[in-house]
Amino acid sequence: MTTDLLAPLDLAFWNIESAEHPMHLGALGVFSAHSPTAGAHAADLLASRAAAVPGLRMRIRDLWQPSPLRPMSFGSATREPDPDFDPLNHVRLHAPTTDFHAEAGRLMERSLVRGRPPWEAHVLPGEDGVSFAVLFKFHHALADGLRALTLAAAIMDPMDLPERRPRPEEPKRGLLPDVRKLPGLVRGALSDVGRALDIGASLAVSGLGVRSSSAFTSEATGTRSTAGVVIDLDDVQRVRKAQGGTVNDVLIALVAGALRRWLDERGDGSDGVAPRALIPVSKRRPRTAHPQGNRLSGYLIRLPVDDPDPLGRLDAVRTAMDRNKDAGPNRGAGAVALLADHVPAIGHRLGGPLAGQAARLWFDILVTSVPLPSVGLKLGGNPVTEVYPFAPLARGHSLAVAVSTYRGRVHYGLVADAKAVPDLDVLAAALTEEVRTLITACGS
């Protein structure tokens, strides 16, 4: 295992974290248990397998001394092997429970220990004896959604996947750029400046003109609750085929409709409300120099919560997403994350707290998609039946939505500030109702 500097966006996630807003991803997998002791056996398997996965042994260490070979590394951090790695510090077996989501919310509140490899696996046996759950937590500086999936899958039962070709080694970089590449570097720098100006202008415009709702923002309380919703992918496909667009368009429109129901039911009112939703877009390439680093951009759209017509909401989402795709992920207000590449390490270190506070000025709610394999996942021979992804909750925000498709079903994972959103179950129920409403509106 080797040591490498954190990619700029990883470093940003590492520095914007606070006790009230931990920056870890989560995923709650629910398993069908073959026996009442399946949960305890699963915890033993996770602990024994973790030691053999190099990525799970990596800790993050802050750098406060400049290196002659890396003069710009002052204030950065490295990802490096933990010489004292102990899987038992990361895998925990809990007492049996009747409510996996109640336990998941409590555990999502807790920050990961920064001196150790920043991940945990919590095994939650079900009191019914026929199920158990595992909550995986990975710091966003260690892994994005795809990388977290890879690390979690490495300690599950082996899967029959196509063999991948080995990644070619990245050529070592010198201290100075190759003079033959200078003209291209200059053009690239000018292009980056143009993109930055475009992003800044789009960000300013995005905050104008349309009312949001106080339901999407909150003061930090550090509390968390989670909820999960499962819908049939065939229902989503029926809507897509009838109305056009993509599956993702339908899934986002369902969120908009559910938010409308939720706001109206709690008495906040949805008239004139169109919250800004950040839709992350992965820019990772298979041969990138930082295969485990975050490479994210995003699209920013207004969720048409104020539109009473479900088909109108879907059309508005589709139009907004098409417009974002035409512009590409390198421009627009949603691409702010790309600016992290142009901030020196010490800038991330000193400006991290301020950047975290700016999230509420940039967007109101996160709606992100997390990829899952099409093959069935198992642990100790016990199959996964449900998978709920959980996104980090940005400072000043009260709600985040993540969605995954697994074996013909769509799983929404909802994370909320528990004190600001005591009725998360109402929003979950609204998502289920919105599916029926949209199907009926399509005449399907």
Side-chain angles (χ1 to χ4, degrees):
M1 292 183 286
T2 59
T3 298
D4 66 315
L5 285 175
L6 260 62
L9 190 53
D10 296 348
L11 187 61
F13 286 135
W14 189 243
N15 285 302
I16 65 176
E17 180 174 66
S18 68
E20 295 78 17
H21 287 89
M23 290 303 297
H24 51 251
L25 312 168
L28 182 68
V30 179
F31 296 76
S32 176
H34 292 329
S35 73
T37 60
H41 179 54
D44 291 340
L45 284 176
L46 293 174
S48 64
R49 292 172 179 176
V53 180
L56 296 178
R57 302 175 65 94
M58 304 299 279
R59 68 179 180 182
I60 295 175
R61 182 173 65 88
D62 295 319
L63 293 179
W64 290 112
Q65 294 183 350
S67 165
L69 297 178
R70 291 170 169 171
M72 299 301 292
S73 65
F74 177 69
S76 184
T78 61
R79 191 180 290 106
E80 63 183 28
D82 181 0
D84 300 317
F85 176 72
D86 183 350
L88 297 181
N89 289 328
H90 303 266
V91 179
R92 285 96 184 254
L93 176 64
H94 294 261
T97 179
T98 58
D99 190 337
F100 293 139
H101 278 288
E103 291 299 309
R106 180 179 61 82
L107 293 168
M108 287 293 289
E109 293 178 4
R110 302 178 183 177
S111 299
L112 295 165
V113 179
R114 291 173 75 93
R116 301 171 182 164
W119 69 273
E120 292 174 352
H122 296 270
V123 181
L124 310 170
E127 278 194 357
D128 56 13
V130 298
S131 65
F132 68 91
V134 179
L135 174 68
F136 288 101
K137 294 168 55 178
F138 292 94
H139 199 287
H140 218 329
L142 179 71
D144 60 8
L146 185 58
R147 176 68 175 170
L149 169 64
T150 302
L151 291 173
I155 49 179
M156 304 286 278
D157 291 355
M159 295 184 292
D160 295 327
L161 297 176
E163 184 176 353
R164 291 186 178 182
R165 295 180 179 179
R167 189 190 308 276
E169 289 189 11
E170 186 77 11
K172 293 184 178 180
R173 299 176 60 184
L175 295 178
L176 297 176
D178 188 331
V179 294
R180 293 169 296 181
K181 297 181 180 179
L182 286 177
L185 293 173
V186 171
R187 285 195 299 271
L190 293 176
S191 176
D192 288 345
V193 171
R195 273 203 302 271
L197 292 174
D198 280 353
I199 292 169
S202 298
L203 184 60
V205 171
S206 74
L208 302 176
V210 183
R211 186 171 74 89
S212 184
S213 170
S214 59
F216 303 112
T217 60
S218 68
E219 297 302 320
T221 71
T223 60
R224 292 293 180 271
S225 61
T226 73
V229 177
V230 182
I231 63 176
D232 197 320
L233 181 59
D234 287 343
D235 289 338
V236 177
Q237 292 286 14
R238 286 163 63 190
V239 174
R240 181 194 64 79
K241 291 176 181 177
Q243 299 299 316
T246 68
V247 165
N248 202 43
D249 295 340
V250 178
L251 298 178
I252 296 172
L254 288 173
V255 172
L259 290 174
R260 177 182 176 82
R261 291 173 180 271
W262 176 61
L263 290 175
D264 287 343
E265 184 161 340
R266 66 181 356 218
D268 288 346
S270 57
D271 291 343
V273 176
R276 297 160 299 177
L278 177 64
I279 316 294
V281 177
S282 176
K283 287 178 61 63
R284 180 189 292 180
R285 293 175 302 206
R287 301 182 190 280
T288 180
H290 292 280
Q292 66 272 65
N294 283 279
R295 290 293 300 161
L296 293 172
S297 180
Y299 297 143
L300 200 66
I301 73 169
R302 289 282 184 178
L303 291 181
V305 172
D306 55 349
D307 190 337
D309 178 14
L311 296 184
R313 292 193 293 268
L314 176 56
D315 184 64
V317 168
R318 183 173 61 243
T319 300
M321 289 298 288
D322 286 345
R323 184 167 56 247
N324 274 300
K325 292 171 187 174
D326 288 342
N330 293 328
R331 294 183 182 275
V336 166
L338 295 179
L339 300 182
D341 290 345
H342 309 290
V343 177
I346 192 63
H348 284 295
R349 182 72 63 180
L350 298 178
L354 292 177
Q357 293 175 12
R360 69 194 305 173
L361 304 177
W362 174 22
F363 63 97
D364 299 303
I365 184 172
L366 179 73
V367 182
T368 185
S369 178
V370 181
L372 288 177
S374 58
V375 297
L377 298 170
K378 294 182 179 180
L379 181 57
N382 302 285
V384 174
T385 57
E386 304 166 33
V387 185
Y388 301 100
F390 299 134
L393 199 58
R395 183 186 297 271
H397 290 179
S398 60
L399 180 67
V401 179
V403 58
S404 287
T405 301
Y406 178 69
R407 297 182 70 78
R409 300 200 298 172
V410 176
H411 294 75
Y412 283 94
L414 311 179
V415 176
D417 183 293
K419 292 185 178 179
V421 185
D423 56 347
L424 189 61
D425 57 328
V426 177
L427 178 57
L431 259 173
T432 302
E433 294 169 5
E434 187 62 19
V435 176
R436 293 192 289 266
T437 297
L438 197 51
I439 290 175
T440 301
C442 291
S444 302

